[in-house]
Amino acid sequence: MPQKRWRPVARRVLVGLLLAVTGVFIVLALRGQDWSTVAGTLRGQRPGFVVTMAALAVLANAAGLIATMVSWRAMLAGVGERVSAVDAARIFYFGQLVKYVPGKVMGFLVSVEMGRAIGVPAGRMSAAWLLALVVSLLTGATVGLAAGPEVFGASSGWLLLAVLPVVAVLVRPGLVGGAATLLGRLRRRPEPSTAICGTGIRQAVVAQLLAWVIGGAHLWVLAVAMGAPPLRALPLCLGAFGLGAVAGVIAVFAPDGIGVREVVVTAALSVILPVPVAGVVALVSRVVVTLSELATAGVGLLVTAAIIRRRPATAAPAVPTAAAMGPEHTNADSPAPKKSPRKWPQANH
């Protein structure tokens, strides 16, 4: 429609302006800092120690990604679709690679199409995608509370009230559905249209909390390598990583939260490290997260591909594809005719 052609252009201009403002803010914040502290810190560490800590950071974030995949599989069960660990891992890790392709909706579309290939209706796959996003934001913000005592001092006790949403979700998992509906409207995604299984949602929440803690440990390893006090830095780093990641998701104008996450992490770590050193840790964290995501996704896809190639020799696929079923079963939302994924008991809804 001609009258709406200006909207994509205006959106790109607005995103560009917001990114420029973020960049200017970062430059102004770091200007005038004593960058010699970075060189002094590195000179005080043995090269082998720094390399070892960087490798441990990559492994820690990779372990966090595996826990996130477990949460993703539990979320699929939460919307009534129990899939094998291989199929869930294949969808999740492929999404980790696709998110580096320009376009905010690419990962969502790929997940829906890959779900169809294993017999999961598009409506339920989109519901799992939205619910997983809600749980990720909720648990990430909760883990971020660990940074409160260092940032706010003795007056941080009121932050414990922010744990109540997670407790409420564990008690009443159906609340996640309402949050996903609201988030779907804001992000212009399909709203969840399926019943929610309480057991799956609870498992997804617990696994995602564990994923934030394990993944956030990579930031602690990097901070310790740059001279941060280990015991004092642990809760601060776990909380800073969670808050930074959530802020990056909320800042939709920044691709993968670039710049926004680093600002949050640098501000939090500046409590225990000089600002230039904290900024270096935040930048190295971005590199570590990217490398671990690409490496973990690549290895995960290779392993799942090898397992899938062996399937025809041992057993027939549990769910036939749309092409094999014939034209009468090409509707994405229609259930598979032979052996559809087993549903969770309705008593847990």
Side-chain angles (χ1 to χ4, degrees):
M1 295 181 291
Q3 66 272 21
K4 294 185 179 180
R5 289 179 179 175
W6 58 271
R7 290 185 178 179
V9 177
R11 187 180 299 110
R12 294 190 185 97
V13 172
L14 180 60
V15 169
L17 287 176
L18 291 173
L19 287 174
V21 170
T22 303
V24 171
F25 174 79
I26 295 174
V27 171
L28 292 177
L30 298 179
R31 188 179 63 176
Q33 297 290 333
D34 183 11
W35 288 92
S36 63
T37 56
V38 177
T41 301
L42 292 175
R43 281 196 300 267
Q45 303 289 356
R46 295 189 302 273
F49 173 75
V50 175
V51 173
T52 301
M53 296 297 274
L56 289 176
V58 172
L59 292 176
N61 195 73
L65 288 174
I66 295 175
T68 303
M69 188 276 293
V70 174
S71 176
W72 159 250
R73 186 189 179 202
M75 188 58 69
L76 283 174
V79 297
E81 295 292 338
R82 298 195 67 178
V83 301
S84 68
V86 172
D87 289 331
R90 183 168 175 265
I91 296 174
F92 175 79
Y93 288 130
F94 198 82
Q96 290 296 304
L97 294 179
V98 170
K99 80 175 190 176
Y100 289 99
V101 177
K104 289 285 186 180
V105 300
M106 187 60 67
F108 169 74
L109 295 177
V110 169
S111 297
V112 170
E113 291 302 322
M114 295 183 72
R116 285 175 175 172
I118 61 172
V120 179
R124 290 184 176 175
M125 183 59 71
S126 62
W129 191 88
L130 277 174
L131 292 173
L133 182 58
V134 170
V135 168
S136 179
L137 293 175
L138 184 64
T139 53
T142 301
V143 172
L145 299 177
E150 285 291 344
V151 175
F152 297 102
S155 62
S156 62
W158 60 271
L159 292 175
L160 294 176
L161 296 175
V163 180
L164 295 179
V166 172
V167 176
V169 168
L170 291 175
V171 176
R172 296 290 301 274
L175 295 175
V176 177
T181 299
L182 178 60
L183 186 62
R185 293 174 181 175
L186 294 176
R187 296 175 66 93
R188 297 182 180 179
R189 301 288 187 271
E191 299 178 8
S193 58
T194 184
I196 294 177
C197 170
T199 303
I201 298 296
R202 293 187 184 97
Q203 291 176 347
V205 170
V206 173
Q208 189 59 52
L209 280 171
L210 185 63
W212 282 118
V213 173
I214 297 174
H218 92 273
L219 187 62
W220 174 72
V221 171
L222 296 176
V224 171
M226 295 297 288
L231 293 179
R232 186 181 174 189
L234 181 57
L236 179 63
C237 290
L238 297 181
F241 180 67
L243 290 178
V246 170
V249 173
I250 295 175
V252 294
F253 62 88
D256 199 28
I258 293 177
V260 177
R261 188 169 77 191
E262 285 69 33
V263 168
V264 174
V265 171
T266 301
L269 294 184
S270 63
V271 177
I272 59 174
L273 290 172
V275 173
V277 178
V280 170
V281 172
L283 292 176
V284 175
S285 171
R286 168 69 67 173
V287 176
V288 165
V289 169
T290 302
L291 290 178
S292 62
E293 285 181 348
L294 293 175
T296 305
V299 172
L301 288 176
L302 289 176
V303 172
T304 55
I307 295 175
I308 290 174
R309 279 197 298 268
R310 295 179 182 178
R311 280 180 174 177
T314 57
V319 181
T321 61
M325 290 188 292
E328 67 274 14
H329 295 289
T330 56
N331 187 353
D333 288 319
S334 60
K338 292 184 180 180
K339 185 180 179 182
S340 60
R342 184 165 58 91
K343 308 299 187 296
W344 285 84
Q346 296 296 321
N348 288 329
H349 289 174

